[in-house]
Amino acid sequence: MKKSVLFLLLIISGGLLLSSFQENENLYGYSIGDEATDFKLKNVDGTMVSLSNYKEAKGFIVIFTCNTCPYAVASEDRIIALDQEFKEKGFPVIAINPNNPEVQPADTFQKMQEKAKEKKFTFPYLYDESHSLYKTYGAAKTPHVYLLQKEQGKYRVKYIGAIDDNVRNANAVKERFLANAVNELLQGKEVSVKETKAIGCSVKV
Amino acid sequence: MGWVVFLIFKVMKILCTLLLAMSLLWSCNQGKKRESVTAEVSKEPIAQVPSYDFPQLESAYFSPDTGKVVVLNFWATWCKPCVKELPAFEELHRKYADSGVEVVLVSLDFPEKLERQVLPFIEKNNLESKVVLLDDPNANDWIPKVSESWSGAIPATVFIKGDKKHFYEQSFTFEALEEELKKIL
């Protein structure tokens, strides 16, 4: 009897230890294959948006971006084009502004609304009021892309990084990393280029 | 044969320096002589900022001579935390330039902004450290060559001495810079 209690305690403490390890991993953000968390954030139209709202979606193009960063601004038209290209195919764009307007005054919710209106964003542009989701995901900069695919009700990270190989100049792009990754998922293939790097503005919190 | 080329390079370098000094003197005198055109004269960029692609930057700074340390700071005029920490790098430059430490401010401003944004910024802030423009769009190739751990966010700084390379994706105070420098010295 005593032995079995001890054994049970051992299993419980082992489980606790494992779960604390997993928490630690999250501090450094997601890696390829990790399960991404859902969220509930305020959109520029005033509604609250969660991944779970999109019953039909096969996955999501989650982009941490902002109003101000020149690299984010240079990417705006490409983000709109990506949404138009992939929303119908089941991979809508979800844009999230992680910046704290106290640090970056041009990144207020109101300025986000103005940006979305001016650029006619076709996708939700969400405000991470708690400035915490970027940490969970591990986004270090804007723009920073996470491509998620729905698998048995979970959101699996399939690609992390840049939109393409030339942030500055859309006309000089040779490789569309993100679009290629979405197309591979749509064809039921494994993503071939899973992680890429690009210059961006550090997240301002 | 090699030394002839070397000599030519040396002479060219001296000539260039002289020419620059003369033009500086000239523009200063012009300013004094004709107060009314001062504004016009000061528009001419005095600062020199070479434009490199990554292989050029790499060969120029990534294998410093024995005993020397290169401190590369990746920044841009539009990057607030970068601009905020520039005085710390300037102080590092002033204090350690004579001890074989070269501070290089690698601007990631868009190349078309060089004349109108970067050069005026350098003059306005009287930057004394070397400034170069990294004009290489294929960041996915060169970011990991600076450091595998770099996400691509700026500011970022790398200390290089011999085979040693210490990379930091963070902002620095002068004290923190000095501490890291002592670690690699």
Side-chain angles (χ1 to χ4, degrees):
Chain A
M1 182 62 195
K2 259 189 188 170
K3 257 189 187 168
S4 63
V5 169
L6 218 77
F7 187 64
L8 207 69
L9 272 174
L10 204 73
I11 287 178
I12 291 170
S13 57
L16 280 175
L17 202 69
L18 266 178
S19 66
S20 72
F21 272 132
Q22 270 166 358
E23 258 175 42
N24 277 341
E25 266 175 20
N26 277 350
L27 285 178
Y28 302 100
Y30 294 143
S31 307
I32 301 298
D34 282 354
E35 182 192 342
T37 180
D38 197 356
F39 41 77
K40 194 174 181 186
L41 300 174
K42 190 160 74 167
N43 190 11
V44 282
D45 67 3
T47 61
M48 299 302 282
V49 171
S50 294
L51 298 180
S52 58
N53 297 153
Y54 294 76
K55 303 282 180 231
E56 304 299 317
K58 295 174 187 159
F60 300 92
I61 299 169
V62 176
I63 306 182
F64 290 89
T65 187
C66 70
N67 297 333
T68 47
C69 172
Y71 284 85
V73 173
S75 303
E76 281 165 2
D77 290 340
R78 273 173 269 184
I79 296 175
I80 297 168
L82 280 164
D83 188 54
Q84 282 163 357
E85 184 176 353
F86 292 114
K87 184 162 34 188
E88 295 301 313
K89 296 176 180 169
F91 282 85
V93 165
I94 311 275
I96 302 169
N97 171 21
N99 285 353
N100 184 347
E102 281 169 28
V103 184
Q104 185 61 271
D107 276 328
T108 60
F109 183 67
Q110 198 197 330
K111 292 257 166 65
M112 286 172 62
Q113 290 177 312
E114 288 166 17
K115 169 73 78 184
K117 202 173 160 190
E118 175 207 326
K119 292 296 295 183
K120 302 191 177 70
F121 282 176
T122 54
F123 46 85
Y125 185 23
L126 311 178
Y127 179 50
D128 181 10
E129 211 158 354
S130 68
H131 316 296
S132 60
L133 191 72
Y134 82 95
K135 270 190 242 169
T136 311
Y137 274 65
K141 61 190 163 46
T142 53
H144 204 152
V145 178
Y146 290 78
L147 174 61
L148 314 179
Q149 187 177 38
K150 258 193 218 172
E151 282 177 4
Q152 286 121 30
K154 287 175 176 169
Y155 309 108
R156 290 272 169 218
V157 179
K158 294 292 177 177
Y159 169 83
I160 302 173
I163 293 172
D164 52 47
D165 66 354
N166 196 329
V167 186
R168 272 177 359 209
N169 184 358
N171 297 322
V173 168
K174 292 194 201 88
E175 267 193 86
R176 300 174 70 213
F177 300 131
L178 173 60
N180 294 348
V182 182
N183 280 323
E184 282 170 327
L185 291 183
L186 285 168
Q187 290 159 20
K189 291 182 194 162
E190 198 187 327
V191 174
S192 51
V193 179
K194 297 183 175 71
E195 282 186 84
T196 58
K197 298 278 178 78
I199 291 295
C201 309
S202 55
V203 171
K204 310 281 188 297
V205 289
Chain B
M1 191 59 206
W3 64 273
V4 177
V5 177
F6 179 73
L7 209 70
I8 291 172
F9 262 101
K10 275 280 170 197
V11 172
M12 293 273 276
K13 207 173 162 187
I14 292 167
L15 275 177
C16 281
T17 318
L18 271 175
L19 212 67
L20 186 71
M22 272 164 71
S23 64
L24 277 178
L25 270 174
W26 182 79
S27 61
C28 287
N29 285 337
Q30 284 298 97
K32 269 183 211 155
K33 271 186 213 158
R34 289 182 291 167
E35 289 292 326
S36 57
V37 293
T38 315
E40 202 180 298
V41 171
S42 68
K43 261 188 204 164
E44 281 179 27
I46 294 168
Q48 299 285 305
V49 174
S51 213
Y52 293 147
D53 61 13
F54 188 76
Q56 288 170 321
L57 184 83
E58 199 174 26
S59 69
Y61 298 114
F62 277 61
S63 30
D65 295 338
T66 317
K68 304 242 176 189
V69 176
V70 169
V71 182
L72 286 180
N73 171 245
F74 294 88
W75 70 293
T77 56
W78 44 258
C79 163
K80 272 192 198 170
C82 306
V83 170
K84 201 175 155 202
E85 66 171 1
L86 282 182
F89 286 88
E90 285 284 281
E91 200 175 339
L92 196 76
H93 162 74
R94 279 193 296 271
K95 193 166 174 189
Y96 290 97
D98 293 338
S99 326
V101 176
E102 185 171 14
V103 173
V104 185
L105 306 175
V106 183
S107 162
L108 290 165
D109 283 270
F110 295 0
E112 61 270 22
K113 296 285 170 74
L114 180 64
E115 297 283 339
R116 301 189 71 180
Q117 220 155 305
V118 182
L119 297 183
F121 180 91
I122 294 169
E123 287 186 45
K124 189 176 145 221
N125 294 286
N126 293 316
L127 294 188
E128 291 171 18
S129 309
K130 174 97 182 160
V131 180
V132 303
L133 184 87
L134 178 55
D135 177 9
D136 196 329
N138 201 358
N140 186 47
D141 276 351
W142 60 257
I143 287 173
K145 289 179 190 163
V146 176
S147 172
E148 281 294 337
S149 65
W150 188 10
S151 78
I154 54 173
T157 299
V158 60
F159 295 71
I160 307 166
K161 184 190 182 188
D163 299 336
K164 279 190 281 184
K165 210 161 70 167
H166 296 180
F167 175 82
Y168 304 90
E169 184 176 323
Q170 65 170 74
S171 289
F172 276 104
T173 59
F174 173 70
E175 289 72 25
L177 273 181
E178 208 174 24
E179 204 173 297
E180 294 309 329
L181 182 67
K182 281 174 183 160
K183 276 188 201 164
I184 203 167
L185 267 177

